Amino acid sequence: MEQQVTVVTGGSRGIGAAVALRLARDGHAVGVAYERDADAAERVAAAVRAEGGRALAVRADTAREPEVDALFDAVTRDLGPVTGLVANAGITGPLGRFTETSTADMRRVIDVNVLGVLYCARRAALAMSRRHGGTGGAIVTVSSAAATTGSPGEYVHYAASKAAVDALAVGLARELAGDGVRVNSVQPGMILTDIHASMGDPQRPWRQPDRVPMKRPGEPSEVAGAVAWLLSQEASYTTGAVLRVAGGL
């Protein structure tokens, strides 16, 4: 079997870092894409290598198409043809009511969460699709339970962006099914990452625990397990699925 080479965006922390490490254990070479924290990305790449895998950390703002192209070019050159994508990079902007959310915050969320995923998915499809000379592969988009709850009073604009991600996964799965590329989406719920601090409320996962039926936030590794399964041959007949990993939320 050919080496699985998977690009993980937002791979320097949180869910992305957990996914990179899990994929290394499953035999993937991993392109760790990051926007700002080079040291954190290099630590993740080092952890992948410690598991016996190959890794490359690449800086890329996924909202910028030329940087997405440079990311895929670098991974292909150093690790080999790309066979998988985990489109994980995403931002929320500050917590707040919709009427108080600035246009600049909305625009940046849409640029990263929607356009960034579109750019990455298109480049991955071109690399993997048999129609374009590839050997097939799999794409997993990382959405959010917010896509269906709407997140009123917190970040409605973010929820809307994640609903777009799910629509992309469903439509693209049907479009690429005949080309050997599977596309699925994962919807994490309240997960223990530093995204909560970045939105202004680091204690958010521990507030109102009763809103999650399992009465606890999730760990990044629990989401990584779902992502790894969707990329694996065990999920060979699964495409167009939206898999919720949210403790019953």
Side-chain angles (χ1 to χ4, degrees), residues 92-113:
T92 65
L95 284 169
R97 294 180 64 82
F98 182 71
T99 51
E100 298 160 6
T101 304
S102 73
T103 299
D105 285 334
M106 289 185 196
R107 188 178 300 278
R108 180 60 180 164
V109 166
I110 295 300
D111 283 349
V112 174
N113 295 4

mmCIF file of all heavy atoms in Angstrom, residues 92-113:
data_model
loop_
_atom_site.group_PDB
_atom_site.id
_atom_site.type_symbol
_atom_site.label_atom_id
_atom_site.label_comp_id
_atom_site.label_asym_id
_atom_site.label_seq_id
_atom_site.Cartn_x
_atom_site.Cartn_y
_atom_site.Cartn_z
ATOM 1 N N THR A 92 -13.348 31.608 15.810
ATOM 2 C CA THR A 92 -14.693 32.026 16.208
ATOM 3 C C THR A 92 -14.868 33.531 16.223
ATOM 4 O O THR A 92 -15.969 34.028 16.009
ATOM 5 C CB THR A 92 -15.023 31.525 17.632
ATOM 6 O OG1 THR A 92 -14.151 32.170 18.559
ATOM 7 C CG2 THR A 92 -14.879 30.013 17.727
ATOM 8 N N GLY A 93 -13.789 34.257 16.498
ATOM 9 C CA GLY A 93 -13.947 35.669 16.834
ATOM 10 C C GLY A 93 -14.439 35.780 18.267
ATOM 11 O O GLY A 93 -14.715 34.777 18.933
ATOM 12 N N PRO A 94 -14.566 37.006 18.796
ATOM 13 C CA PRO A 94 -14.994 37.195 20.190
ATOM 14 C C PRO A 94 -16.429 36.722 20.418
ATOM 15 O O PRO A 94 -17.271 36.776 19.521
ATOM 16 C CB PRO A 94 -14.893 38.715 20.391
ATOM 17 C CG PRO A 94 -14.031 39.216 19.283
ATOM 18 C CD PRO A 94 -14.239 38.291 18.139
ATOM 19 N N LEU A 95 -16.692 36.229 21.626
ATOM 20 C CA LEU A 95 -18.055 35.896 22.010
ATOM 21 C C LEU A 95 -18.911 37.163 22.060
ATOM 22 O O LEU A 95 -18.434 38.230 22.426
ATOM 23 C CB LEU A 95 -18.074 35.247 23.399
ATOM 24 C CG LEU A 95 -17.616 33.793 23.508
ATOM 25 C CD1 LEU A 95 -17.455 33.426 24.969
ATOM 26 C CD2 LEU A 95 -18.597 32.862 22.822
ATOM 27 N N GLY A 96 -20.176 37.028 21.713
ATOM 28 C CA GLY A 96 -21.068 38.184 21.811
ATOM 29 C C GLY A 96 -22.315 37.995 20.974
ATOM 30 O O GLY A 96 -22.407 37.087 20.141
ATOM 31 N N ARG A 97 -23.270 38.850 21.216
ATOM 32 C CA ARG A 97 -24.506 38.821 20.450
ATOM 33 C C ARG A 97 -24.235 39.236 19.009
ATOM 34 O O ARG A 97 -23.319 40.013 18.724
ATOM 35 C CB ARG A 97 -25.562 39.728 21.078
ATOM 36 C CG ARG A 97 -26.029 39.247 22.452
ATOM 37 C CD ARG A 97 -27.090 40.191 23.030
ATOM 38 N NE ARG A 97 -28.301 40.188 22.213
ATOM 39 C CZ ARG A 97 -29.276 39.279 22.289
ATOM 40 N NH1 ARG A 97 -29.177 38.278 23.157
ATOM 41 N NH2 ARG A 97 -30.325 39.359 21.518
ATOM 42 N N PHE A 98 -25.058 38.727 18.112
ATOM 43 C CA PHE A 98 -24.860 38.971 16.686
ATOM 44 C C PHE A 98 -24.857 40.464 16.352
ATOM 45 O O PHE A 98 -24.053 40.933 15.548
ATOM 46 C CB PHE A 98 -25.951 38.248 15.887
ATOM 47 C CG PHE A 98 -25.821 38.402 14.404
ATOM 48 C CD1 PHE A 98 -24.801 37.770 13.717
ATOM 49 C CD2 PHE A 98 -26.730 39.168 13.695
ATOM 50 C CE1 PHE A 98 -24.683 37.905 12.342
ATOM 51 C CE2 PHE A 98 -26.622 39.320 12.323
ATOM 52 C CZ PHE A 98 -25.594 38.688 11.642
ATOM 53 N N THR A 99 -25.753 41.219 16.981
ATOM 54 C CA THR A 99 -25.849 42.646 16.684
ATOM 55 C C THR A 99 -24.625 43.427 17.137
ATOM 56 O O THR A 99 -24.431 44.575 16.732
ATOM 57 C CB THR A 99 -27.097 43.248 17.346
ATOM 58 O OG1 THR A 99 -27.122 42.889 18.737
ATOM 59 C CG2 THR A 99 -28.368 42.743 16.667
ATOM 60 N N GLU A 100 -23.808 42.800 17.989
ATOM 61 C CA GLU A 100 -22.598 43.469 18.476
ATOM 62 C C GLU A 100 -21.333 42.948 17.812
ATOM 63 O O GLU A 100 -20.214 43.332 18.182
ATOM 64 C CB GLU A 100 -22.504 43.282 19.994
ATOM 65 C CG GLU A 100 -23.676 43.919 20.744
ATOM 66 C CD GLU A 100 -23.858 43.355 22.147
ATOM 67 O OE1 GLU A 100 -23.000 42.540 22.570
ATOM 68 O OE2 GLU A 100 -24.851 43.715 22.795
ATOM 69 N N THR A 101 -21.489 42.076 16.837
ATOM 70 C CA THR A 101 -20.338 41.490 16.155
ATOM 71 C C THR A 101 -19.927 42.387 14.999
ATOM 72 O O THR A 101 -20.748 42.756 14.160
ATOM 73 C CB THR A 101 -20.687 40.087 15.621
ATOM 74 O OG1 THR A 101 -21.143 39.279 16.701
ATOM 75 C CG2 THR A 101 -19.476 39.441 14.976
ATOM 76 N N SER A 102 -18.657 42.740 14.955
ATOM 77 C CA SER A 102 -18.196 43.672 13.927
ATOM 78 C C SER A 102 -18.132 42.994 12.564
ATOM 79 O O SER A 102 -17.969 41.774 12.450
ATOM 80 C CB SER A 102 -16.811 44.210 14.287
ATOM 81 O OG SER A 102 -15.823 43.213 14.110
ATOM 82 N N THR A 103 -18.234 43.816 11.535
ATOM 83 C CA THR A 103 -18.112 43.314 10.173
ATOM 84 C C THR A 103 -16.732 42.692 9.953
ATOM 85 O O THR A 103 -16.606 41.656 9.285
ATOM 86 C CB THR A 103 -18.339 44.453 9.164
ATOM 87 O OG1 THR A 103 -19.662 44.970 9.341
ATOM 88 C CG2 THR A 103 -18.177 43.968 7.732
ATOM 89 N N ALA A 104 -15.707 43.297 10.534
ATOM 90 C CA ALA A 104 -14.348 42.764 10.372
ATOM 91 C C ALA A 104 -14.237 41.357 10.965
ATOM 92 O O ALA A 104 -13.614 40.467 10.371
ATOM 93 C CB ALA A 104 -13.333 43.695 11.025
ATOM 94 N N ASP A 105 -14.845 41.139 12.151
ATOM 95 C CA ASP A 105 -14.818 39.807 12.756
ATOM 96 C C ASP A 105 -15.585 38.800 11.904
ATOM 97 O O ASP A 105 -15.136 37.667 11.697
ATOM 98 C CB ASP A 105 -15.396 39.849 14.172
ATOM 99 C CG ASP A 105 -14.446 40.476 15.178
ATOM 100 O OD1 ASP A 105 -13.228 40.432 14.944
ATOM 101 O OD2 ASP A 105 -14.934 41.007 16.196
ATOM 102 N N MET A 106 -16.764 39.207 11.422
ATOM 103 C CA MET A 106 -17.535 38.312 10.562
ATOM 104 C C MET A 106 -16.744 37.931 9.319
ATOM 105 O O MET A 106 -16.690 36.756 8.931
ATOM 106 C CB MET A 106 -18.841 38.980 10.125
ATOM 107 C CG MET A 106 -19.885 39.143 11.194
ATOM 108 S SD MET A 106 -21.375 39.823 10.415
ATOM 109 C CE MET A 106 -22.270 40.366 11.866
ATOM 110 N N ARG A 107 -16.136 38.924 8.697
ATOM 111 C CA ARG A 107 -15.421 38.677 7.452
ATOM 112 C C ARG A 107 -14.249 37.713 7.659
ATOM 113 O O ARG A 107 -14.025 36.812 6.862
ATOM 114 C CB ARG A 107 -14.927 39.996 6.862
ATOM 115 C CG ARG A 107 -14.320 39.854 5.457
ATOM 116 C CD ARG A 107 -13.895 41.204 4.904
ATOM 117 N NE ARG A 107 -15.013 42.100 4.814
ATOM 118 C CZ ARG A 107 -15.896 42.122 3.812
ATOM 119 N NH1 ARG A 107 -15.784 41.239 2.832
ATOM 120 N NH2 ARG A 107 -16.883 42.980 3.797
ATOM 121 N N ARG A 108 -13.513 37.903 8.750
ATOM 122 C CA ARG A 108 -12.366 37.030 8.989
ATOM 123 C C ARG A 108 -12.826 35.601 9.274
ATOM 124 O O ARG A 108 -12.203 34.635 8.799
ATOM 125 C CB ARG A 108 -11.535 37.559 10.163
ATOM 126 C CG ARG A 108 -10.309 36.735 10.500
ATOM 127 C CD ARG A 108 -9.340 36.637 9.348
ATOM 128 N NE ARG A 108 -8.164 35.842 9.692
ATOM 129 C CZ ARG A 108 -7.308 35.335 8.809
ATOM 130 N NH1 ARG A 108 -7.472 35.564 7.513
ATOM 131 N NH2 ARG A 108 -6.271 34.632 9.218
ATOM 132 N N VAL A 109 -13.911 35.438 10.022
ATOM 133 C CA VAL A 109 -14.435 34.098 10.291
ATOM 134 C C VAL A 109 -14.850 33.411 8.993
ATOM 135 O O VAL A 109 -14.544 32.228 8.771
ATOM 136 C CB VAL A 109 -15.609 34.162 11.291
ATOM 137 C CG1 VAL A 109 -16.383 32.849 11.320
ATOM 138 C CG2 VAL A 109 -15.085 34.495 12.684
ATOM 139 N N ILE A 110 -15.534 34.118 8.128
ATOM 140 C CA ILE A 110 -15.957 33.538 6.849
ATOM 141 C C ILE A 110 -14.747 33.227 5.977
ATOM 142 O O ILE A 110 -14.674 32.173 5.330
ATOM 143 C CB ILE A 110 -16.924 34.482 6.115
ATOM 144 C CG1 ILE A 110 -18.227 34.642 6.910
ATOM 145 C CG2 ILE A 110 -17.210 33.975 4.707
ATOM 146 C CD1 ILE A 110 -18.983 33.358 7.142
ATOM 147 N N ASP A 111 -13.766 34.128 5.963
ATOM 148 C CA ASP A 111 -12.571 33.904 5.148
ATOM 149 C C ASP A 111 -11.846 32.628 5.565
ATOM 150 O O ASP A 111 -11.431 31.825 4.727
ATOM 151 C CB ASP A 111 -11.611 35.093 5.259
ATOM 152 C CG ASP A 111 -12.064 36.290 4.430
ATOM 153 O OD1 ASP A 111 -12.990 36.140 3.616
ATOM 154 O OD2 ASP A 111 -11.480 37.379 4.607
ATOM 155 N N VAL A 112 -11.667 32.429 6.881
ATOM 156 C CA VAL A 112 -10.938 31.256 7.368
ATOM 157 C C VAL A 112 -11.806 30.006 7.330
ATOM 158 O O VAL A 112 -11.405 28.960 6.808
ATOM 159 C CB VAL A 112 -10.415 31.498 8.797
ATOM 160 C CG1 VAL A 112 -9.774 30.219 9.361
ATOM 161 C CG2 VAL A 112 -9.414 32.647 8.818
ATOM 162 N N ASN A 113 -13.001 30.095 7.894
ATOM 163 C CA ASN A 113 -13.828 28.901 8.099
ATOM 164 C C ASN A 113 -14.516 28.399 6.843
ATOM 165 O O ASN A 113 -14.830 27.201 6.751
ATOM 166 C CB ASN A 113 -14.893 29.172 9.163
ATOM 167 C CG ASN A 113 -14.308 29.432 10.536
ATOM 168 O OD1 ASN A 113 -13.097 29.492 10.710
ATOM 169 N ND2 ASN A 113 -15.174 29.601 11.515
#
